[in-house]
Amino acid sequence: MAEYDLKLLQKKMKEALSEDRYEHTIGVMYTAESLAMRYGVDMTKAAVAGLLHDCAKCIPNAQKIKMCKKKDIEITDMEEKNPSLLHAKLGAYLAEEVYGITDPEILSAIRWHTTGKPDMSMMDIIIYMADYIEPNRDKAPNLRAIRKLCFENIEEALYQVLEGTLEYLANCPDMIDPMTKVSYDFYKWKLNK
Ligand code: DGI
Ligand code: FE
Ligand code: FE
């Protein structure tokens, strides 16, 4: 069983991220731990995934592209147009190669935290939702209700957030990442909507 030095990872994130992004990261870490308590998943792994989920966020976009090309990480057309989307897959790569994380559950949660994907694991869902509801967030609509719902029925909360993301992007449909849409379609089907 891998041991994680959470304090050391925190220190590394403080160096890698802007002040605001670091505050957000700590919020996601604690929120993910709370959701892990509620849903019976490994709290330490949730904390590590929360801490590292945005580890590539503050790399300038041009450099994100360069790094992906150098490391043979696939860049989709959508990511080419909107390179900030790359921070999820580049983050999973850095979590493994730079921060030494080998656990597939943690790496998957980082990889899919921006678009989601169909049939996410509970760890994936927890990081996706903790990112959305952590205490420093204040812009999303309906946050009060979504926060409460996360602790009652997290798949329903996930569905509502995916729906809201698509609604938000509805006036610029070519900005919608295909993965966001297939995630939404999957949960719409799964929850009989
Ligand atoms: O990195 P964070 O800001 O903490 O949060 P995040 O990783 O969820 O990324 C946030 C941005 O990603 C937010 O502005 C919404 C955007 N996003 C999510 N799905 C899509 C998307 N942007 C586009 N263009 N298309 C999507 O499908
Ligand atoms: Fe992110
Ligand atoms: Fe985030």
Side-chain angles (χ1 to χ4, degrees), residues 41-42 45 49 102-110 121 123-124:
V41 313
D42 188 303
K45 286 193 199 182
T102 55
D103 185 278
E105 270 191 281
I106 297 176
L107 296 175
S108 168
I110 298 171
S121 69
M123 185 70 74
D124 295 337

Side-chain angles (χ1 to χ4, degrees), residues 11-25:
K11 198 171 152 237
K12 290 183 175 173
M13 286 308 103
K14 196 165 192 162
E15 286 163 11
L17 302 174
S18 68
E19 207 172 321
D20 283 358
R21 186 57 49 178
Y22 179 71
E23 290 299 313
H24 161 69
T25 289

Side-chain angles (χ1 to χ4, degrees), residues 107-192:
L107 296 175
S108 168
I110 298 171
R111 168 65 185 89
W112 299 109
H113 85 265
T114 300
T115 59
K117 67 164 180 169
D119 205 14
M120 297 161 88
S121 69
M122 185 49 84
M123 185 70 74
D124 295 337
I125 298 175
I126 282 175
I127 297 304
Y128 185 95
M129 293 311 304
D131 194 21
Y132 194 85
I133 66 167
E134 65 92 2
N136 301 294
R137 290 284 202 206
D138 58 4
K139 286 185 196 61
N142 233 1
L143 256 182
R144 260 179 89 93
I146 297 282
R147 281 181 169 133
K148 185 160 181 281
L149 192 53
C150 270
F151 289 87
E152 295 164 352
N153 182 345
I154 198 168
E155 276 197 347
E156 175 65 31
L158 170 65
Y159 170 76
Q160 290 188 14
V161 169
L162 287 167
E163 187 179 40
T165 302
L166 289 180
E167 272 166 17
Y168 177 77
L169 293 170
N171 41 1
C172 36
D174 37 298
M175 292 281 287
I176 297 171
D177 190 297
M179 197 50 85
T180 304
K181 177 73 168 87
V182 296
S183 307
Y184 170 74
D185 289 341
F186 176 85
Y187 285 97
K188 191 177 162 75
W189 165 78
K190 187 174 181 194
L191 302 179
N192 288 312

Side-chain angles (χ1 to χ4, degrees), residues 74-81 86 89 177-178:
E74 191 207 350
I75 302 171
T76 64
D77 292 349
M78 180 61 55
E79 289 160 346
E80 186 96 51
K81 272 192 285 181
L86 283 172
K89 55 169 77 154
D177 190 297

